[in-house]
Amino acid sequence: MSMYMKITLLLGIILIAIHPNSYVFAEAPYYTYTSDSQGTIIKTQTGYTPANQINVINGERLEMPEHVFVDDEDYIYISDSSHNKIYILDRNYRFYKELTSEKFTTVQSSFVTDQFIYVVDSSQNKIFLFDKLTHEYVREIGQPDSPIFNEGYSFSPTHIAVDVRGNMYVRSSGSVNGLIMLNREGEFITFFGANPLNVPLLDQVRSFFLTETQQRKLERVFPDVPSNIAIDDKGFIYTVTSSIETNPIKKFNVSGTNYFPDELVATHNMESVWIGKHNNVYSITSEGWIFEYESDGNLLFLFGGSDVNSSRFGLLSRPVSIAANSADELIVVDQGTKRIQTYQSTQFADAVHHAMGAYQAGDYTESKELWEYTMKYNSIFDNAHIGLGDAYLREGDPHRAYEEYFDAQYSEGISEAFWEIRQSWLEDNLNNVFSLLLVVVGVVSTHKFLNRKYRYGPRVRKRISVLKRIKMVDDLLYMFTFLKQPLNGIYEIQDKNRVARRSSTMIFILIAVIFILHHMYTNVLFVPKNEYILYELSIMMLLFVLWLVSNYLICSINDGEGSFTHVYNSTAYALSPIVIIMPLVILFSNGLTLEQSVFYHLPVQGMFIWGAFLLFFTIKDIHNYDVGETITVISKSVFTMLIIGLFLFVLYSLGNQMIEFLYDVVTEVSKRW
């Protein structure tokens, strides 16, 4: 070893000896993820890296850390139920003070305001108040003197949040009615923020067949109890529930309305929630996964993981609480390892946070520049595209905003930007629109006047009617007659062979083309762009063929009178509303926003109901069934489809295995030849 390397190694050892709690790592021991606007999890740049671990405070090793809280001055309050005290650290994680009292039995958590330190004692079911500056005891709050608690409702506080008026929101173990809201004097006001009751589907079905007496004997189903709470500067109350996966984090206003989306990207076992200085929301699971959301509930970062045996720096064993300071440093209580783990935000996360802060402060120019900076790290970061779109929209540039929203497939933003574009276009072209309408009215009026005078209408219709001599054209135009009089149309198709199979085939081809056009040219607000159009079309065609074959086979053994040709032709014309209505819907959808979505969904739903109605009566009249027999035949046809589909799947799997076997045999023989 050279002298230079020896000196370098010696200096490194000396530095480690001087700073025994310092950790230097090239990269985080986990991947970081985010989600796109569709809720799909994708990998992104690292947002947070492990910074420090604390397991000894003021010479005492942490034994049972329960909770962490950070006040407005970045002082850190760590509750330890074993030592029965609260450790207070300064913003540099150095010991500052500790809060102890003879009144404490089991310190569970704390909440700090400008005046008081609220300490929750879970053994005594009490909340103690101390002066923030002097740490002198002020008073205690126990079980409220209210009829509901006097009659046996449990008051077992574990966590607390306090609003600017001094009202307390208490998380109580077993409180199925939600949080317990108390006024500043500790008097009961109401329950708040309860989770909805989730009754298993089997129990819902079973309840229809049980008497009231039997239902009372069954075990009652209660709502899930929130696990933790938080409050932001605007008074929104946040709850997290570890026992549910769908929408476990909720953001309530004072009236109890949840502002977070139902499709929140989340998971089970979310234990703690904290609100950052940018109104961003942090949560952590018992498995060590840390989630960060922006103020509307969209996922920004997901990272971390469980550390079972390796004791890797930055991974967690059994985390129970999370908080963040003004420098966007995360502080996590890991009860499994009896230590405090901190994380430091990267430049990428800082840019995201500063862009969010600039936008919330109304500085859209700075927000735009910061979002553009984040896109240098990750060009497919949807939150950056959405942030840029928001900035462009507030600057009065809806066209560029639309492009950014479109790149992120963010429907709400696309709708808002398109509304602005449409309004601007109408303002600029309203005179032209009215002029065009006047021209159309003038042309129609002139046509009516000239037609009454010169009678050229019949001659024109006669020349056009020459096209009807073409069988294909005549059969396609028959769609309109069929839709006006479907029962008569079914009769003509069956008894008079009114249409040819090639015309019906053309209708099916038109439906396939319309399916492709629907996915390509319908407004993206209603039909997201799909890369698998042809695959989905092939699946639909397979299902359609299975339906035709299954229905014909079932009808054949159930005394059906229609031939396969009749079934084929009548099915095509029963589906003809798609050919007539859908092109108009595709065209019209491109002028709508999300607020006018009813004008898209209503005709589409009506079209499918109309088609189902025609298909039902087609089967009924072609085979001369009554209504009950038709329903039975349709049910048997669907079951037959499933059987045939299963057979084809098995055949496909065996065929693939046979081909792979033959390929391996041929390959092996060729190598030995």
Side-chain angles (χ1 to χ4, degrees):
M1 184 180 295
S2 65
M3 182 62 67
Y4 174 78
M5 293 181 64
K6 292 180 180 179
I7 294 174
T8 303
L9 181 60
L10 180 61
L11 288 175
I13 295 173
I14 293 173
L15 286 174
I16 293 175
I18 295 175
H19 301 283
N21 292 324
S22 299
Y23 301 88
V24 180
F25 286 85
E27 59 182 16
Y30 45 72
Y31 293 115
T32 301
Y33 304 90
T34 186
S35 69
D36 60 17
S37 59
Q38 309 304 315
T40 304
I41 299 296
I42 55 177
K43 191 183 295 186
T44 187
Q45 275 70 21
T46 300
Y48 294 85
T49 56
N52 198 5
Q53 289 180 342
I54 302 171
N55 52 22
V56 176
I57 300 177
N58 194 29
E60 291 183 322
R61 183 174 296 275
L62 295 174
E63 292 296 335
M64 189 57 68
E66 300 280 0
H67 184 260
V68 59
F69 186 90
V70 179
D71 68 11
D72 294 337
E73 298 176 342
D74 279 347
Y75 283 94
I76 304 163
Y77 298 75
I78 300 171
S79 307
D80 191 304
S81 60
S82 180
H83 292 300
N84 210 24
K85 64 176 65 175
I86 295 177
Y87 297 98
I88 304 175
L89 310 180
D90 64 15
R91 65 184 60 197
N92 296 315
Y93 305 101
R94 295 175 301 199
F95 176 75
Y96 173 65
K97 288 182 180 180
E98 62 183 32
L99 178 59
T100 60
S101 174
E102 295 179 353
K103 296 180 177 293
F104 291 161
T105 301
T106 305
V107 173
Q108 180 70 31
S109 65
S110 64
F111 189 94
V112 184
T113 64
D114 293 338
Q115 293 180 303
F116 302 112
I117 302 174
Y118 295 76
V119 180
V120 178
D121 192 309
S122 58
S123 292
Q124 301 184 67
N125 297 328
K126 291 182 179 180
I127 302 168
F128 296 100
L129 275 70
F130 295 85
D131 184 271
K132 182 181 179 182
L133 296 179
T134 64
H135 289 184
E136 293 181 357
Y137 170 77
V138 178
R139 61 191 176 94
E140 65 183 47
I141 297 172
Q143 178 175 296
D145 185 13
S146 175
I148 188 171
F149 295 100
N150 294 333
E151 293 173 2
Y153 195 89
S154 175
F155 182 74
S156 305
T158 60
H159 299 85
I160 183 175
V162 184
D163 64 18
V164 293
R165 298 180 299 277
N167 295 324
M168 292 170 278
Y169 299 83
V170 180
R171 187 269 175 186
S172 175
S173 298
S175 180
V176 295
N177 293 323
L179 305 178
I180 300 172
M181 186 176 177
L182 310 175
N183 64 15
R184 62 190 309 156
E185 303 301 326
E187 299 170 342
F188 175 69
I189 300 177
T190 185
F191 291 104
F192 183 88
N195 287 304
L197 181 64
N198 294 317
V199 181
L201 179 60
L202 182 60
D203 290 345
Q204 296 181 39
V205 174
R206 183 172 55 179
S207 65
F208 285 106
F209 304 98
L210 299 178
T211 64
E212 293 184 5
T213 303
Q214 290 172 326
Q215 291 185 27
R216 284 196 295 269
K217 291 181 179 179
L218 291 176
E219 182 180 355
R220 293 184 62 189
V221 179
F222 295 101
D224 296 275
V225 179
S227 305
N228 205 332
I229 57 176
I231 188 170
D232 65 15
D233 295 335
K234 298 179 181 178
F236 286 99
I237 305 296
Y238 300 76
T239 66
V240 61
T241 307
S242 62
S243 56
I244 59 178
E245 181 176 12
T246 303
N247 200 16
I249 302 177
K250 297 179 176 63
K251 176 183 179 181
F252 295 105
N253 63 4
V254 292
S255 63
T257 302
N258 178 27
Y259 279 80
F260 265 17
D262 291 336
E263 59 275 9
L264 187 77
V265 178
T267 184
H268 280 106
N269 302 321
M270 302 187 87
E271 297 289 344
S272 179
V273 63
W274 180 265
I275 315 305
K277 69 174 184 178
H278 310 288
N279 291 320
N280 48 332
V281 180
Y282 298 98
S283 184
I284 191 166
T285 72
S286 57
E287 288 82 16
W289 291 102
I290 298 175
F291 291 73
E292 181 185 357
Y293 305 90
E294 50 97 33
S295 59
D296 292 327
N298 298 312
L299 183 66
L300 289 176
F301 300 110
L302 166 60
F303 64 96
S306 179
D307 184 24
V308 181
N309 296 316
S310 61
S311 298
R312 296 188 65 187
F313 182 63
L315 297 181
L316 303 168
S317 176
R318 193 174 71 251
V320 294
S321 182
I322 188 172
N325 60 19
S326 61
D328 292 330
E329 295 174 340
L330 301 184
I331 305 154
V332 176
V333 174
D334 190 355
Q335 204 171 78
T337 58
K338 301 179 182 181
R339 64 176 53 146
I340 307 300
Q341 173 70 60
T342 67
Y343 298 87
Q344 185 176 10
S345 59
T346 62
Q347 288 185 342
F348 177 57
D350 288 339
V352 172
H353 294 154
H354 292 156
M356 291 166 51
Y359 179 80
Q360 293 170 6
D363 192 343
Y364 305 125
T365 301
E366 182 182 0
S367 173
K368 181 179 64 177
E369 293 174 353
L370 289 169
W371 283 123
E372 290 173 344
Y373 177 75
T374 63
M375 292 186 65
K376 293 179 180 179
Y377 287 93
N378 187 350
S379 61
I380 61 173
F381 190 55
D382 279 356
N383 288 293
H385 285 292
I386 294 171
L388 273 174
D390 291 341
Y392 283 129
L393 196 62
R394 299 301 177 266
E395 286 185 343
D397 191 350
H399 292 278
R400 297 191 68 177
Y402 184 92
E403 293 174 0
E404 296 297 336
Y405 290 139
F406 186 84
D407 287 339
Q409 295 292 292
Y410 181 53
S411 298
E412 289 79 5
I414 292 173
S415 177
E416 187 176 357
F418 180 74
W419 189 89
E420 295 285 349
I421 294 170
R422 189 181 64 182
Q423 287 297 107
S424 177
W425 186 90
L426 288 175
E427 291 174 0
D428 296 338
N429 296 276
L430 195 59
N431 292 333
N432 296 333
V433 172
F434 279 119
S435 299
L436 181 61
L437 289 175
L438 290 175
V439 170
V440 171
V441 171
V443 170
V444 172
S445 301
T446 303
H447 162 67
K448 290 181 178 180
F449 173 76
L450 295 176
N451 187 41
R452 285 196 301 268
K453 184 175 182 179
Y454 297 107
R455 301 286 180 181
Y456 60 80
R459 294 194 298 272
V460 173
R461 285 194 293 271
K462 184 177 180 180
R463 292 184 179 181
I464 294 176
S465 65
V466 174
L467 296 174
K468 286 190 174 183
R469 296 177 184 176
I470 303 174
K471 178 64 174 173
M472 179 71 72
V473 175
D474 183 52
D475 287 352
L476 293 178
L477 292 176
Y478 183 69
M479 284 190 298
F480 299 95
T481 303
F482 180 89
L483 295 177
K484 289 179 181 178
Q485 300 176 331
L487 298 181
N488 185 62
I490 295 171
Y491 167 76
E492 290 189 355
I493 289 175
Q494 182 179 21
D495 292 351
K496 297 184 178 181
N497 294 321
R498 175 63 179 78
V499 297
R501 278 182 297 182
R502 63 177 178 272
S503 303
S504 300
T505 303
M506 179 56 68
I507 292 177
F508 290 132
I509 293 173
L510 289 175
I511 292 174
V513 171
I514 289 172
F515 177 84
I516 296 174
L517 295 176
H518 177 240
H519 282 77
M520 292 180 62
Y521 297 108
T522 301
N523 194 329
V524 70
L525 294 174
F526 310 117
V527 181
K529 298 306 176 185
N530 189 351
E531 300 178 357
Y532 305 100
I533 300 175
L534 296 180
Y535 173 76
E536 292 184 0
L537 180 60
S538 63
I539 295 296
M540 289 183 60
M541 292 174 62
L542 176 61
L543 292 175
F544 174 71
V545 172
L546 286 176
W547 164 257
L548 284 179
V549 173
S550 302
N551 182 254
Y552 175 70
L553 292 176
I554 294 298
C555 291
S556 297
I557 62 176
N558 283 273
D559 300 326
E561 298 179 3
S563 65
F564 183 80
T565 298
H566 295 150
V567 172
Y568 185 80
N569 291 337
S570 59
T571 300
Y573 280 81
L575 298 177
S576 59
I578 298 175
V579 178
I580 297 173
I581 297 176
M582 206 63 208
L584 299 176
V585 172
I586 294 172
L587 180 64
F588 189 59
S589 70
N590 287 282
L592 301 176
T593 63
L594 283 178
E595 287 73 16
Q596 295 100 39
S597 61
V598 64
F599 297 108
Y600 168 81
H601 294 295
L602 189 62
V604 171
Q605 293 169 359
M607 175 189 70
F608 282 114
I609 292 173
W610 191 7
F613 173 83
L614 292 175
L615 192 59
F616 180 85
F617 280 94
T618 293
I619 297 171
K620 174 182 175 298
D621 291 346
I622 284 289
H623 299 289
N624 197 21
Y625 291 143
D626 58 28
V627 173
E629 290 174 328
T630 305
I631 295 174
T632 302
V633 164
I634 292 175
S635 301
K636 291 180 179 180
S637 299
V638 173
F639 180 74
T640 305
M641 286 178 62
L642 295 176
I643 296 300
I644 296 176
L646 180 61
F647 172 75
L648 292 176
F649 175 76
V650 172
L651 191 64
Y652 172 78
S653 300
L654 292 176
N656 272 347
Q657 293 180 11
M658 179 63 72
I659 292 173
E660 291 176 1
F661 172 74
L662 293 175
Y663 176 79
D664 292 339
V665 170
V666 172
T667 303
E668 186 67 24
V669 171
S670 62
K671 289 180 179 179
R672 298 187 179 186
W673 185 260

